[in-house]
Amino acid sequence: MSEPFDSGTLQVSELHTLSYEQSGSSEGAPVVVLHGGPGGGCPPQYRQYFDPARYRVVMFDQRGCGKSTPMACLKGAPVPASPAIPPPATIRTCFSSSLFTL
């Protein structure tokens, strides 16, 4: 299981930040991993499902979950679309990838 080569937060609204980490190959095919819910986060064990030589694995803690802030808060999240996950345009912009697997 590979260790993250990058981690941080993305400001997605005035109130919310999403925690993320990237592992695997920085030149690999990008794969975005979203965890189940409610309230959890992306555990490190999720990395084991991807070949680190082949994939750039981007894991998000969804809005209000895990290390994202504020915890357990969906105030101001877009509705009715899934309020916890970042829009694809945000993912593309922040990680400079026009294509990714979700």
Side-chain angles (χ1 to χ4, degrees):
M1 186 165 56
S2 66
E3 292 300 313
F5 64 81
D6 179 39
S7 63
T9 58
L10 299 174
Q11 190 78 38
V12 294
S13 74
E14 191 174 301
L15 178 62
H16 295 278
T17 62
L18 299 183
S19 176
Y20 73 89
E21 72 172 39
Q22 297 186 80
S23 60
S25 170
S26 61
E27 301 299 317
V31 175
V32 176
V33 178
L34 302 173
H35 61 81
C42 278
Q45 294 82 357
Y46 282 11
R47 292 186 225 130
Q48 71 185 338
Y49 301 118
F50 303 94
D51 178 350
R54 185 171 178 185
Y55 294 102
R56 173 184 175 190
V57 181
V58 181
M59 297 195 314
F60 281 97
D61 285 343
Q62 299 170 24
R63 201 178 311 244
C65 301
K67 296 177 188 171
S68 294
T69 60
M71 182 60 152
C73 177
L74 295 179
K75 180 180 178 182
V79 178
S82 183
I85 59 175
T90 300
I91 296 169
R92 281 192 295 272
T93 301
C94 293
F95 297 100
S96 303
S97 291
S98 58
L99 297 173
F100 56 87
T101 301
L102 186 60

